[in-house]
Amino acid sequence: MHQDEVFDIAICGAGLNGLAAALAFGGPGNRTPLKVALVDQRDPALATQAGFDGRASAITQAARRMFEAMGVWDAIAPHAEPMREIMVTDGQTDGPRPALLNFGVEHQPSGPSAYMVENRHLLAALYEAVRAVAQITFKTGHKVERFSFTGPQAELHLTSGQIVAARLCVAADGRHSQARQAAGIETIGWAYGQSGIVTTVSHDGPHGGRAEEHFLPSGPFAILPLPGNLSSLVWTEDQLEADRLMALDDEAFLAELKRRFGEHLGAVRLAAPRQAWPLGLFIAKSLTAPRLALLGDAAHVVHPIAGLGFNLGLRDAAALADAVMGQFRLGLDPGGPQALQAYERWRRLDTVMVAAATDGLNRLFSNDIEALRFIRDAGLSVVERIDPLKRFFMREAAGLSGHLPRLMTGEPA
Ligand SMILES: Cc1cc2nc3c(=O)[nH]c(=O)nc-3n(C[C@H](O)[C@H](O)[C@H](O)COP(=O)(O)OP(=O)(O)OC[C@H]3O[C@@H](n4cnc5c(N)ncnc54)[C@H](O)[C@@H]3O)c2cc1C
């Protein structure tokens, strides 16, 4: 075993959140870049290939500002489709679907609240940006097999025999985070017994930048606009039904898809392989431990109903950068208790609120109980009639409310 050097920050996991965090600490979006090590067991180049992660993400206006500040938005922009309109319906798979809510450009005075981007393009842009930064040492193809948080520095023991030491370890190693487990941080949460089936379709007609969320009895069916005549689908079903749909051949699967999709965009074709993601909610009971900060899916996993999971992780990265840089610029320990407490205080409430809101929405809409349908439809029709309320919701959806970290205001950390 040998230890190369001591880094300021060692990030375990180079998924979307780990890559973004590396740039927030060591990239051009930081006025005094830190020395960062980024470790992942897989080669991120693999993850940028079509079919590896078929998901697309709704990137909020605040996240766009962060990407601009970190110098990656120019590479993402050609693949981003602005959401010009959002339509919400509540109905049956085959029956009528009254449109209950419509958000248009008039409710988004500071531009589109969000942009749809395929994850592979996000990963590719972040990956290339990280590789261009000399301050970031990128160790790919290295699994961290053991963590140590007991000394004056965190240590990541790699399967290659190397030890990466740093003043702070950032766990961006996903929902089964080994770093979180090594620190003894417990989680609370539950599985929804639902899967999110994800695929991309092409259609003859233009979507005009309209995102559609159809609340069907088994769960939300979202049609999300991508550049060109393409849409990304997030189709929530009970686990058993999702298994049945996934087992169908393409023709039968497409027939089921068309029942839910409708005919308003003309002929529809499958444009990518389908994938199913088991859905659940969990939150780490603490976001920090000595020499450790959790972010992204390692800290929280929420229902994709509002497309907020990655955006929450970006907020984590930006807030952690502010907390750490505040200490570093005072000449204090960037991985010490003050920075970690500031991060914990800042992110805990937002995380719990988003988890509770997405959980509540999913429970309220994933059923066909008449009384609940009445209440939710009445609530939505009230919102539909009040323009200032709609503008408020769009501001929330754009991620522009609350105390924003510097990167999310477009300023460097
Ligand atoms: C169906 C669906 C739709 C979604 N839609 C949206 C959306 O529209 N908008 C949005 O904001 N979010 C969305 N999300 C959520 C979002 O996709 C996730 O929150 C995000 O991808 C999580 O990224 P991450 O980097 O935290 O974790 P991961 O992507 O899981 O990355 C973890 C990384 O850590 C590495 N790793 C793990 N353990 C080790 C180890 N021991 N050693 C070395 N490396 C390790 C892994 O190889 C991996 O690269 C959606 C989620 C689902 C399921």
Side-chain angles (χ1 to χ4, degrees), residues 128-206:
E128 288 307 325
V130 161
R131 277 166 34 117
V133 176
Q135 284 282 108
I136 303 174
T137 303
F138 201 170
K139 294 175 184 288
T140 63
H142 290 274
K143 183 176 163 68
V144 181
E145 58 177 1
R146 192 164 69 79
F147 296 84
S148 165
F149 302 121
T150 49
Q153 58 195 28
E155 287 180 357
L156 284 61
H157 296 246
L158 313 188
T159 35
S160 59
Q162 275 177 293
I163 300 172
V164 177
R167 298 211 267 175
L168 178 66
C169 169
V170 174
D173 50 347
R175 61 164 69 188
H176 303 296
S177 170
Q178 277 182 30
R180 185 184 68 225
Q181 290 167 29
I185 299 175
E186 294 177 359
T187 59
I188 43 171
W190 42 81
Y192 285 121
Q194 294 174 319
S195 265
I197 300 174
V198 175
T199 190
T200 304
V201 293
S202 65
H203 32 76
D204 284 348

Side-chain angles (χ1 to χ4, degrees), residues 12-18 39-42 55-58 116 119 142-144 147 172-175 178 196 198 234 277 279 295-298 304 307-311:
C12 179
L16 289 172
N17 283 310
V39 185
D40 201 297
Q41 62 202 7
R42 72 179 183 198
R55 291 174 297 178
S57 295
M116 285 306 301
N119 282 10
H142 290 274
K143 183 176 163 68
V144 181
F147 296 84
D173 50 347
R175 61 164 69 188
Q178 277 182 30
V198 175
V234 183
W277 300 80
L279 304 181
L295 62 75
D297 278 16
L308 284 177
F310 174 42
N311 287 282

Side-chain angles (χ1 to χ4, degrees), residues 43-56 79 118-124 198-200 226 230 271-275 277:
D43 179 0
L46 181 72
T48 61
Q49 289 167 14
F52 187 88
D53 180 345
R55 291 174 297 178
H79 308 287
E118 288 181 65
N119 282 10
R120 65 192 171 111
H121 295 308
L122 289 168
L123 275 165
V198 175
T199 190
T200 304
L226 292 173
L230 290 173
R274 54 196 122 128
Q275 294 176 339
W277 300 80

Side-chain angles (χ1 to χ4, degrees), residues 174-358:
R175 61 164 69 188
H176 303 296
S177 170
Q178 277 182 30
R180 185 184 68 225
Q181 290 167 29
I185 299 175
E186 294 177 359
T187 59
I188 43 171
W190 42 81
Y192 285 121
Q194 294 174 319
S195 265
I197 300 174
V198 175
T199 190
T200 304
V201 293
S202 65
H203 32 76
D204 284 348
H207 47 54
R210 183 166 75 171
E212 302 178 22
E213 182 95 84
H214 299 282
F215 287 116
L216 303 178
S218 55
F221 181 86
I223 304 173
L224 305 159
L226 292 173
N229 282 3
L230 290 173
S231 291
S232 168
L233 301 188
V234 183
W235 172 0
T236 308
E237 285 287 352
D238 290 341
Q239 194 60 59
L240 282 178
E241 179 61 1
D243 292 345
R244 184 187 76 79
L245 291 164
M246 290 300 289
L248 295 175
D249 61 30
D250 277 357
E251 197 184 335
F253 179 78
L254 185 60
E256 289 281 1
L257 188 154
K258 284 178 176 169
R259 284 176 60 206
R260 291 152 179 88
F261 194 96
E263 293 171 353
H264 57 299
L265 294 179
V268 179
R269 292 163 294 275
L270 291 176
R274 54 196 122 128
Q275 294 176 339
W277 300 80
L279 304 181
L281 171 145
F282 81 78
I283 308 181
K285 284 190 178 171
S286 169
L287 298 179
T288 60
R291 300 282 157 204
L292 175 68
L294 310 181
L295 62 75
D297 278 16
H300 39 66
V301 172
V302 299
H303 196 286
I305 193 164
L308 284 177
F310 174 42
N311 287 282
L312 268 184
L314 288 173
R315 262 191 193 234
D316 294 342
L320 184 61
D322 278 1
V324 164
M325 296 316 296
Q327 296 297 305
F328 181 77
R329 291 193 186 112
L330 292 174
L332 301 172
D333 183 352
Q338 284 84 356
L340 293 175
Q341 280 161 16
Y343 173 62
E344 179 91 42
R345 272 198 306 273
W346 195 342
R347 296 301 302 140
R348 168 125 316 262
L349 184 62
D350 185 34
T351 302
V352 172
M353 300 269 286
V354 171
T358 50

Side-chain angles (χ1 to χ4, degrees), residues 61 82-88 100-114 207-212 383-395 397-398:
Q61 186 67 244
M83 281 192 195
R84 293 188 182 83
E85 213 188 309
I86 300 171
M87 180 180 85
V88 179
L100 292 175
L101 264 182
N102 277 291
F103 295 96
V105 277
E106 67 277 19
H107 305 115
Q108 309 180 66
S110 40
S113 59
H207 47 54
R210 183 166 75 171
E212 302 178 22
V383 178
E384 174 64 8
R385 280 192 227 118
I386 306 176
D387 263 13
L389 204 52
K390 287 168 90 173
R391 280 196 286 275
F392 167 79
F393 278 120
M394 280 297 90
R395 208 172 153 74

